[in-house]
Amino acid sequence: MASVSDMRSLLFVPADGGKKLDKALGCGADAVIVDLEDSIAPDRKVQARASAAAFLAQARAEAARPRLTVRVNALATGLTDADLDAVVPARPDAIMLPKAEGAASVIHADAKLAAREAIAGLDDGHVKIVAQAIETAAGIFLAGTFRAASARLIGLTWGPEDLSAELGAEANRDAHGRLTEPYQLARSLCLFAAATAEVAAIETVYVDFRNLDGLKADTQAARRDGFSARLAIHPAQVPVINEVFTPTTEALARARAVIAAFEANPGAGVIAIDGVMFDRPHLARAQRLLARAKDRAVS
């Protein structure tokens, strides 16, 4: 199972997806998100909960498996309790909390999980939380409040589709596929919020799932900006996302060289390698890169 710090790809699959769920286990995704929210019609929620629990029980028995996450319905829907009642006894590794509006939402979800873990005989904190932090306008203004909200919180992501629907926008991307200004802001705030909370920043889905070249370019931009993982909606997207978020041999060599240079000059604030200057932020970046590579090797 991929470690928390080493998640690169998180694949959505409907909880009632049948064979799609089985296929997801073997597609290479670091996490499979069993979806009880958007992909499940209201009249199929009860059946989908049972399907999700059955899948979790089966998948946990696999020797090598992805992280098992369940996207529950948002707190405001009144459906979250029934979702958690069904899936927590099946021991998911995490839940994804949609439309999470700041720390209060995470604290609320934490309390609900703690009660159900106790009933199910699970250790307190077993089920982690990935929050979809910016899917509403209110979430924009509360993005900076997640720090220390809960030890369960392991990642933040965002959603331009729900946000644009709330705003009444005609589109969230322009004719060239680039995010329009309101959604560039939302994406940036998610990135800043994750850094403040010291959790993984997870890029949102790329909806044109047949355009793998576009996905690769967009994911490279996400990695450049500081995101460490990405949501996927189709198994074909997973290898592309994993490739982009896996450090290359050249990148690892550069990181080792930076670390070695600072170790050789422990009092230096700036060092030079092959005529290029590196300072302490470069050292921190190199250390993070090697730590992620080590986690992947171990997992």
Side-chain angles (χ1 to χ4, degrees):
M1 181 179 69
S3 70
V4 170
S5 64
D6 194 45
M7 288 190 299
R8 301 163 299 177
S9 53
L10 300 88
L11 175 65
F12 281 112
V13 187
D16 60 358
K19 292 183 179 179
K20 291 181 180 179
L21 288 166
D22 296 329
K23 183 178 180 180
L25 284 178
C27 77
D30 294 320
V32 170
I33 305 171
V34 183
D35 188 26
L36 290 172
E37 195 212 14
D38 286 346
S39 66
I40 305 298
D43 62 350
R44 294 185 59 82
K45 298 287 188 185
V46 173
Q47 180 181 344
R49 292 181 187 118
S51 297
F55 170 73
L56 291 171
Q58 168 206 332
R60 285 194 61 84
E62 299 287 336
R65 64 172 177 83
R67 181 169 291 275
L68 301 172
T69 301
V70 179
R71 180 163 69 169
V72 296
N73 287 278
L75 293 169
T77 66
L79 300 173
T80 316
D81 286 338
D83 293 342
L84 295 177
D85 288 342
V87 302
V88 169
R91 301 172 60 89
D93 298 305
I95 64 164
M96 176 170 280
L97 184 66
K99 299 178 177 64
E101 296 178 344
S105 294
V106 172
I107 292 168
H108 193 175
D110 184 310
K112 290 178 180 294
L113 285 167
R116 287 161 178 83
E117 285 170 338
I119 293 169
L122 300 179
D123 292 339
D124 183 53
H126 171 87
V127 183
K128 307 305 182 187
I129 298 174
V130 175
Q132 291 186 281
I134 303 180
E135 291 193 301
T136 66
I140 291 280
F141 295 99
L142 294 167
T145 66
F146 287 99
R147 185 180 181 90
S150 168
R152 297 180 191 271
L153 186 64
I154 59 173
L156 295 179
T157 186
W158 71 291
E161 305 306 324
D162 284 294
L163 182 58
S164 60
E166 180 174 318
L167 297 181
E170 295 180 357
N172 50 49
R173 291 183 181 267
D174 63 21
H176 301 288
R178 295 185 294 259
L179 289 168
T180 57
E181 289 188 13
Y183 309 99
Q184 290 178 19
L185 171 63
R187 176 181 181 272
S188 296
L189 287 173
C190 178
L191 189 61
F192 301 148
T196 300
E198 299 181 340
V199 299
I202 304 169
E203 178 65 290
T204 193
V205 299
Y206 189 82
V207 295
D208 187 2
F209 64 87
R210 292 187 177 88
N211 182 4
L212 298 183
D213 289 338
L215 169 67
K216 184 172 183 177
D218 200 72
T219 306
Q220 287 172 331
R223 183 194 64 200
R224 174 202 66 203
D225 291 343
F227 288 94
S228 61
R230 180 159 212 162
L231 304 177
I233 56 173
H234 192 281
Q237 295 181 315
V238 169
V240 176
I241 294 171
N242 285 350
E243 177 188 357
V244 172
F245 284 116
T246 299
T248 64
T249 301
E250 294 77 10
L252 292 173
R254 286 195 300 271
R256 292 189 184 101
V258 170
I259 293 171
F262 275 102
E263 287 177 346
N265 299 275
V270 179
I271 52 94
I273 302 174
D274 297 330
V276 178
M277 303 302 294
F278 295 88
D279 55 17
R280 291 283 169 175
H282 290 99
L283 174 60
R285 188 178 305 141
Q287 291 169 331
R288 285 196 300 269
L289 185 69
L290 289 187
R292 286 178 59 79
K294 181 179 179 181
D295 283 344
R296 168 126 309 267
V298 170
S299 63

